[in-house]
Amino acid sequence: MSTSSKRSLKASPLAKVNTTIAHCFKALSRRDRSASNQQKLNAQVFRRILSLVLFFGIWQLLCLNRFNFFINFENVPSPIEVAQATVQFVTGNPMKHIQASAIRVLSGFTIAAVLGISLGILIGWFKKIEDFIFLPLELLRPIPAVAWIPLAILMFPTSESGMIYLTFIGAFFPILISTIRGVESTDLLLLRVGQCLGAKQWHIFKDIVVPGAMPNIASGLVIGMGNSWFCLVTAEILAGRYGVGYITWESYVTSNYPPIVMGMLLIGLMGAASAYAVDRLTCLLMPWRITKKKSA
Amino acid sequence: MATLVEKTLEQRVRGFVEVENLSVSFKRKGQSVHVLESVNFKIEPGEFICLLGPSGCGKSTILNVIAGFIQPSSGFVFVDKRHVDSPSADRGFVFQQYSLLPWKTTYQNVEFGLKIRGVPKAKRSELVNYYLNRVGLFKHRHSYPHQLSGGMQQRASIIRALVNSPSVLLMDEPFAALDAQTRHMMQELLLTIWSDLKTTVIFVTHDIEEALFLSDKIFVMGVNPGRIKEKIDVTLDRPRHADGLLSPEFISLNRQVFELIREETLKSMDMD
Ligand SMILES: Nc1ncnc2c1ncn2[C@@H]1O[C@H](COP(=O)(O)OP(=O)(O)OP(=O)(O)O)[C@@H](O)[C@H]1O
Ligand SMILES: [Mg+2]
């Protein structure tokens, strides 16, 4: 249809009018379609907003009625109280807390990424190294961050380094395990491709094994980033005078309940945001995969 | 500038393949199964050989041994009088599956072998671009493999092997996954490139017409155990064209090979 209209365009001025009309029709029908799409989208947005309103409404109601049947809402701050606490926090000096937490998480995460990826590659690629260090790591892996608190206090010279250690623990194992998996799942076919192009160990490793493991490593990094934030509260119980986790715990200790929920939400938000950032960044490192997503 | 390309095209006295008493067996459920038994052949430099046989007769296994991917239980493979025991760039391989590295562009994939060998950048780009042009992939040189069609990917795989000027090009059903039309185009393209390069080619297929169209000789394989059953000279004139598929000579050869394969296929079905 488009080729025939192009041809007639050359043929006569009348045809030009025709094609213009055809274009108008096309545009119209496109607008029709997009209009109905728009409607669908609106309905979806409406339902989602409603779900939020219901969520906060029910929560508020439960608090107002001091609901107490098995679960006790008497001391749970209501959404309005949380909002007030948030306003207070934001108008106070929020940056020093957010900054303190972010630095801890970023330091722990960065160390975990460097160690996790390099150890993971070594363990995945060299059987002997796996034999030497895999079992001890497996033994440490299931230990939750909370259980590390006493040792973290005993082992580290400053409370700051102890806290960074705990956020490190959260990120390290997911990154390590996904890296090992990624390296181990290298495609035999691609190894053979490298071999009969004359690649020796180094090129096979650099150009085939590592890029092949990158998608796995990336998902390990995203999960690790989330986990680092999980461990933050635990870490900031340890010590500290600033930090989002610190506010959360401190508010509980001083029976000032609304900031607890605010702190929880803030941690969730920052965790989600930084995991998203890691996801985008790793996608940038793998242009061959981004384009795949677009075309699909 | 063109001298470099010409030079790499010229140096063609290599590609002499000898397979002597080759046997391969695999362990399966604790028992060892003889897949190949005393396979013998010699291939002269520049010959185009097809290995033809029913599924499971060991065609890929022969190719894998020549490539150095697997070790034979007994017997030897020599390429240009050198004993083969591990893969190297002088035996190029084109796989049936799409096997470009997904994280490299077409250009980088083709360039990879030269880069490994430390060929200087200017020489690399001259050679790579020559081959990319040769198979019509120059404008796709910056695309990633998943953006290419199956035919394009196989063309890239072929020149990725050829750019290293291997003594032998091993091809394991490289066109099996393509549609009939594309397959014909690829066969003709392969023949034109080969007639320039005169690389020795060992081409595995189970398509009789493909084998007749491409090769100088067909090694028809038998099953249980896998072995070379018959060597057939394909005397059809070159250059070959699609309409040659209708000549009486072609038809009679086709019938001859068909009967041979049919026997073996029946035999392999009985045994299973
Ligand atoms: N790694 C292996 N372990 C055990 N048996 C194998 C192995 N590789 C191949 N075989 C067996 O060896 C025989 C020959 O296999 P091969 O792949 O060489 O056949 P083929 O002629 O290439 O078949 P096709 O046309 O289906 O590709 C088959 O029976 C197969 O099951
Ligand atoms: Mg095969």
Side-chain angles (χ1 to χ4, degrees), chain B residues 56-101:
Chain B
C57 67
K59 305 183 292 293
S60 300
T61 306
I62 292 187
L63 231 50
N64 288 338
V65 174
I66 300 177
F69 295 144
I70 55 181
Q71 301 300 323
S73 346
S74 65
F76 301 97
V77 174
F78 298 95
V79 171
D80 295 326
K81 301 287 180 190
R82 269 209 307 271
H83 179 227
V84 165
D85 57 358
S86 63
S88 100
D90 74 337
R91 279 154 283 132
F93 206 111
V94 180
F95 297 86
Q96 176 177 353
Q97 305 93 319
Y98 300 135
S99 63
L100 296 177
L101 302 178

Side-chain angles (χ1 to χ4, degrees), chain B residues 26-28 35 53-62 96 172-173 204 206:
Chain B
F26 289 116
K27 283 258 180 309
R28 200 185 293 157
V35 172
S55 185
C57 67
K59 305 183 292 293
S60 300
T61 306
I62 292 187
Q96 176 177 353
D172 192 354
E173 306 195 39
V204 163
H206 51 234

Side-chain angles (χ1 to χ4, degrees), chain A residues 3-287:
Chain A
T3 52
S4 76
S5 64
K6 254 182 223 151
R7 220 177 298 131
S8 58
L9 196 79
K10 273 185 205 151
S12 76
L14 197 72
K16 200 172 178 178
V17 177
N18 271 342
T19 49
T20 323
I21 292 174
H23 274 303
C24 287
F25 270 115
K26 240 192 251 166
L28 265 180
S29 69
R30 201 181 305 137
R31 200 192 294 151
D32 262 7
R33 217 180 310 132
S34 71
S36 77
N37 273 349
Q38 193 63 46
Q39 257 170 14
K40 259 186 216 155
L41 206 72
N42 281 343
Q44 192 186 23
V45 169
F46 175 73
R47 281 196 299 269
R48 290 192 173 180
I49 290 176
L50 188 67
S51 76
L52 283 181
V53 170
L54 280 177
F55 173 73
F56 286 112
I58 291 173
W59 174 8
Q60 182 75 34
L61 277 179
L62 288 172
C63 293
L64 281 180
N65 295 327
R66 306 187 146 267
F67 179 86
N68 187 0
F69 177 71
F70 186 66
I71 298 177
N72 185 358
F73 269 77
E74 275 170 24
N75 287 320
V76 173
S78 72
I80 292 177
E81 286 169 319
V82 172
Q84 282 164 349
T86 309
V87 170
Q88 216 171 33
F89 173 72
V90 171
T91 52
N93 193 355
M95 275 333 279
K96 72 177 179 200
H97 292 290
I98 293 177
Q99 210 174 2
S101 295
I103 288 175
R104 282 164 199 153
V105 166
L106 278 185
S107 320
F109 175 78
T110 309
I111 300 170
V114 172
L115 271 182
I117 293 173
S118 40
L119 269 183
I121 287 177
L122 290 176
I123 292 175
W125 191 235
F126 298 103
K127 185 75 188 121
K128 280 199 183 117
I129 297 188
E130 175 180 357
D131 291 344
F132 264 112
I133 51 185
F134 190 63
L135 276 183
L137 286 174
E138 257 324 78
L139 217 61
L140 295 179
R141 185 161 72 101
I143 301 172
V146 190
W148 278 103
I149 292 183
L151 265 190
I153 295 173
L154 294 175
M155 288 192 319
F156 286 91
T158 62
S159 58
E160 198 60 37
S161 50
M163 287 188 278
I164 291 176
Y165 176 69
L166 290 178
T167 56
F168 160 83
I169 283 290
F172 176 68
F173 285 105
I175 297 174
L176 178 79
I177 300 296
S178 344
T179 306
I180 296 176
R181 290 268 177 289
V183 172
E184 281 178 345
S185 63
T186 305
D187 194 347
L188 174 67
L189 179 69
L190 296 187
L191 286 181
R192 286 184 166 180
V193 164
Q195 287 175 336
C196 60
L197 292 173
K200 298 283 173 274
Q201 285 278 337
W202 167 242
H203 276 104
I204 297 230
F205 183 72
K206 176 170 80 75
D207 289 298
I208 295 174
V209 175
V210 172
M214 268 172 70
N216 269 295
I217 296 176
S219 59
L221 288 175
V222 172
I223 298 171
M225 182 48 109
N227 274 9
S228 248
W229 283 98
F230 291 160
C231 296
L232 182 72
V233 185
T234 315
E236 290 179 348
I237 290 174
L238 192 69
R241 302 196 302 115
Y242 306 113
V244 186
Y246 166 77
I247 300 174
T248 310
W249 185 245
E250 194 59 18
S251 308
Y252 173 69
V253 173
T254 58
S255 307
N256 176 21
Y257 298 137
I260 296 179
V261 179
M262 182 207 68
M264 288 163 60
L265 291 177
L266 200 58
I267 290 171
L269 214 65
M270 287 167 68
S274 41
Y276 179 77
V278 171
D279 188 40
R280 300 312 314 164
L281 278 177
T282 51
C283 277
L284 284 182
L285 286 176
M286 296 181 286

